[in-house]
């Protein structure tokens, strides 16, 4: 077999042909379909070690036909429009009532959550928070996500930089 052209596409071909763009939802994640889509909106953040702020957010939950949801998120400052934060990860079902969330941030933080699914809500608690040697210390993160029709709300609590668990973020996003 000639490995020289592995991954090469014929001239004029699309990286994701039409047959790969729309895929059936895997049966193991049908109960998480309420999350799928691109969501945009506003949020507010606070923590004792930083100045409170408002932000604009875009979050996307998608799938490729496998038994997980892919997640990406990015925020911009509501006043200056400068980039603030980004994260990406995966939601993996554990039966119908539980999920795992694996999340990575370019700031050097990795969160691993275990959580529950109830109707159109997720309650996620970190079972592990890892940081690179240059990242700020974070020890625990809890996330609550709720969807009502085309409105997604969430709250994030965090224990970081030697402080106990407390409110950090809250946002309301609308599905596009």
């Amino acid at each position: 077999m000639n490995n020289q052209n592995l991954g090469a596409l014929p001239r004029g071909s699309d990286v994701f042909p039409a047959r790969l763009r729309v895929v059936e939802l895997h049966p193991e994640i049908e109960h998480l379909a309420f999350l799928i889509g691109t969501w945009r909106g506003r949020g507010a953040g606070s923590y004792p070690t930083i100045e409170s702020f408002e932000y604009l957010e875009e979050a996307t939950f998608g799938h490729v036909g496998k038994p997980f949801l892919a997640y990406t998120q990015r925020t911009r400052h509501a006043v200056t429009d400068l980039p603030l934060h980004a994260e990406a990860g995966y939601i993996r079902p554990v039966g119908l009532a539980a999920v795992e969330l694996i999340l990575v941030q370019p700031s050097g933080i990795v969160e691993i959550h275990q959580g529950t699914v109830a109707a159109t809500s997720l309650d996620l608690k970190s079972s592990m928070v890892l940081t690179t040697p240059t990242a700020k210390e974070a020890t625990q993160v809890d996330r609550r996500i709720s969807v009502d029709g085309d409105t997604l709300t969430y709250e994030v609590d965090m224990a970081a930089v030697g402080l106990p668990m407390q409110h950090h973020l809250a946002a309301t996003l609308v599905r596009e």
Side-chain angles (χ1 to χ4, degrees):
M1 178 175 178
N2 181 352
N3 289 335
Q4 209 168 356
N5 290 322
L6 279 181
L9 295 171
R11 187 177 269 276
S13 67
D14 191 340
V15 174
F16 292 102
R19 65 183 165 76
L20 295 180
R21 285 189 207 132
V22 178
V23 294
E24 256 184 66
L25 192 61
H26 194 284
E28 290 180 32
I29 60 169
E30 286 177 352
H31 66 295
L32 299 173
F34 65 91
L35 291 166
I36 295 174
T38 297
W39 306 79
R40 288 190 175 91
R42 299 181 71 90
S46 63
Y47 208 68
T49 59
I50 60 173
E51 195 172 312
S52 294
F53 59 97
E54 291 187 9
Y55 58 93
L56 306 174
E57 178 171 356
E58 177 181 288
T60 301
F61 295 87
H63 71 96
V64 294
K66 301 288 281 178
F68 61 83
L69 290 179
Y71 163 75
T72 59
Q73 179 261 27
R74 60 185 177 169
T75 61
R76 301 185 76 73
H77 194 279
V79 175
T80 66
D81 201 38
L82 292 172
L84 289 177
H85 179 75
E87 55 191 37
Y90 298 94
I91 297 175
R92 300 176 49 205
V94 180
L96 294 176
V99 292
E100 296 173 337
L101 169 66
I102 304 98
L103 191 68
V104 63
Q105 302 172 23
S107 58
I109 298 172
V110 176
E111 300 173 27
I112 299 172
H113 293 259
Q114 294 179 332
T116 58
V117 181
T120 58
S121 296
L122 301 179
D123 186 14
L124 303 157
K125 301 207 179 297
S126 60
S127 57
M128 190 178 302
V129 178
L130 305 169
T131 58
T132 65
T134 58
K136 288 184 180 179
E137 178 216 15
T139 55
Q140 188 177 357
V141 181
D142 290 351
R143 296 169 179 261
R144 289 166 305 286
I145 301 168
S146 184
V147 174
D148 183 6
D150 285 329
T151 301
L152 180 149
T153 56
Y154 72 81
E155 294 180 11
V156 176
D157 296 338
M158 176 175 74
V161 294
L163 296 174
M165 183 69 97
Q166 57 196 289
H167 173 77
H168 178 45
L169 304 169
T172 299
L173 311 177
V174 176
R175 187 182 347 238
E176 294 198 339

